[in-house]
Amino acid sequence: MYICRNMKDAFLLLRPLQWFKNAFVFAPLFFSNNLLNKEYFIQTLWTFLAFCFVSSSIYCFNDIHDVESDRLHPKKRLRPIAAGKVSIWEGYFIMVLCLIASLLLVSLSHSVNMPILYALLIGYWGMNIAYCVQLKQHAILDVAIIAVGFVIRVLIGGFTTDIFVSGWLSLMTFLLALFLAFAKRKDDYRIYELTGTMPRKSIAGYNAQFIDLSVTIVGTITMVCYIIYTMNEGVIERFGSPYVYLTNFWVLAGLLRYLQNMLVYHRSGSPTKVLVKDRFIQCCIAGWILSYFAIIYL
C-alpha cells in the first residue's frame, strides 16, 4: 500500500496536468498544413514527450528548492515534497531520471536538426533552473522568462520537422504567455494581501494596480496584433482563405472570459486549471482550433 501511495505521489510530483502546455510544440505543424503528415506528426510527438519530461524535471527541482516556502502556502503545501510524501533525495532522483528520459525521447524524433533540439532542451532546462534559484525573484523578469519558455516550445516544434516558424507565431505565443503569466501574478498578490505571506519574492515588485494595468496592456496588444495578423495579405495568401479574420471572435471571447475569471471570480491562479475547469474557455479554444482546421485543411 505504501509503495502504491508513494508511486502516486511521485507521479503527482511530475505535475502531469501541466503537460498540456507542451502542446505548443505542435503549432508549427498545425499552421504549416502538415498536421496530417504521419512522419512529421510522429517526430513532433516524440519532441512533445521529451518536453513533458524536461519540464517535469524542472518541477521536481522547483519543489525541492522551494520546499520551505511551499509549506507556508495555502495550496502549495499540498505538493508531494512539501507535504513530506516524497523525500528530497527521491525528488532529486526523479529529476535526473526525467532529464535523461527527455534526452532519450527527443533522439527518437530522428530530426535533421538534432543538435539544435538538444541545445534548446538543455537551454530551456538551464534557463528554468536559474529561474527557480534566482531569476523568479525579480518582478517582470519572472513573467518574461515564462513567456520565452513558450516561444522555445514553438521553436523546438519547428526545428523537429525543419518547418519555418514565422515571426507572427513567435510573437503571438510570447504575448499570450505573458498575458497569462501576469494574470497568475494577480492570484499570487491576492494571497499576499490575505495572508501577509509572499508566495514568491517577486511579489514585492508588484501591486494590484500594476498587475491589472499590465494585464490590460498586454491583453490589448495581443488582441490588436492578432487582428493585424488575420488581416495581413501574406497570411491570407498563405492560408488561401479570406476568412482568417473570423477567428478573432474566439480570441476576443477567450481573453474577455479570462479577464472575467481574474477580476470578477478571482480564478487566475493556474492557467492550466482554468483551462481544465472553464467550459467557456474550452469552447473558445475548440472553436478557434476547428476554425483554423477548416480554413487550412478543408
Side-chain angles (χ1 to χ4, degrees):
M1 181 65 70
Y2 172 78
I3 294 177
C4 293
R5 185 170 65 251
N6 204 45
M7 288 295 291
K8 178 183 177 180
D9 293 326
F11 182 70
L12 291 175
L13 182 64
L14 304 183
R15 299 194 207 175
L17 191 62
Q18 302 296 329
W19 290 348
F20 286 111
K21 299 175 182 177
N22 300 321
F24 275 81
V25 302
F26 287 99
L29 200 64
F30 180 78
F31 288 105
S32 65
N33 196 15
N34 283 295
L35 186 64
L36 303 181
N37 184 312
K38 183 179 178 181
E39 180 183 355
Y40 282 0
F41 184 86
I42 292 175
Q43 281 184 299
T44 307
L45 181 61
W46 287 121
T47 301
F48 166 78
L49 294 173
F51 226 101
C52 288
F53 277 97
V54 78
S55 59
S56 289
S57 175
I58 295 162
Y59 291 137
C60 290
F61 179 83
N62 179 76
D63 287 1
I64 293 169
H65 184 267
D66 292 351
V67 61
E68 296 302 328
S69 60
D70 283 355
R71 285 169 179 163
L72 302 176
H73 192 279
K75 297 177 182 177
K76 295 179 181 180
R77 63 184 178 83
L78 300 176
R79 289 176 177 175
I81 292 180
K85 296 178 180 178
V86 175
S87 72
I88 298 293
W89 289 111
E90 287 173 331
Y92 275 122
F93 176 76
I94 296 171
M95 179 191 80
V96 173
L97 202 63
C98 285
L99 181 59
I100 293 173
S102 173
L103 297 175
L104 292 175
L105 284 167
V106 78
S107 68
L108 296 177
S109 69
H110 300 295
S111 171
V112 295
N113 296 311
M114 195 60 68
I116 299 177
L117 299 190
Y118 281 128
L120 286 173
L121 272 179
I122 296 299
Y124 177 83
W125 187 84
M127 179 184 74
N128 279 278
I129 293 298
Y131 172 85
C132 295
V133 174
Q134 180 64 36
L135 300 182
K136 70 177 180 180
Q137 299 177 15
H138 304 281
I140 301 179
L141 179 61
D142 59 340
V143 293
I145 289 176
I146 292 173
V148 169
F150 279 89
V151 175
I152 292 176
R153 286 172 170 87
V154 173
L155 291 176
I156 201 170
F159 280 115
T160 297
T161 51
D162 205 26
I163 293 173
F164 173 73
V165 175
S166 71
W168 279 113
L169 183 55
S170 297
L171 175 63
M172 295 308 305
T173 299
F174 179 83
L175 288 172
L176 179 60
L178 194 64
F179 171 83
L180 297 175
F182 269 121
K184 189 177 187 304
R185 291 298 171 269
K186 178 72 174 182
D187 185 71
D188 292 335
Y189 190 78
R190 188 179 297 110
I191 291 174
Y192 170 57
E193 286 185 312
L194 293 174
T195 66
T197 301
M198 288 188 181
R200 58 184 76 241
K201 292 183 179 180
S202 65
I203 289 300
Y206 294 103
N207 62 31
Q209 183 181 8
F210 175 71
I211 294 173
D212 290 346
L213 187 60
S214 298
V215 170
T216 302
I217 291 173
V218 176
T220 302
I221 293 174
T222 302
M223 193 67 237
V224 170
C225 285
Y226 187 76
I227 291 172
I228 295 173
Y229 166 76
T230 60
M231 302 297 289
N232 183 277
E233 291 184 6
V235 172
I236 294 173
E237 182 179 350
R238 180 159 61 87
F239 287 138
S241 172
Y243 300 113
V244 184
Y245 73 91
L246 294 176
T247 63
N248 282 295
F249 165 79
W250 301 111
V251 177
L252 179 58
L255 288 176
L256 290 175
R257 175 61 173 182
Y258 207 92
L259 285 172
Q260 183 185 43
N261 280 330
M262 183 186 82
L263 300 173
V264 180
Y265 303 131
H266 307 303
R267 295 196 299 249
S268 59
S270 170
T272 306
K273 290 181 179 179
V274 171
L275 172 61
V276 170
K277 295 180 179 180
D278 195 297
R279 300 302 181 199
F280 188 94
I281 290 181
Q282 289 173 359
C283 289
C284 289
I285 294 174
W288 182 79
I289 292 174
L290 291 174
S291 296
Y292 266 108
F293 190 88
I295 290 170
I296 299 173
Y297 295 91
L298 298 181

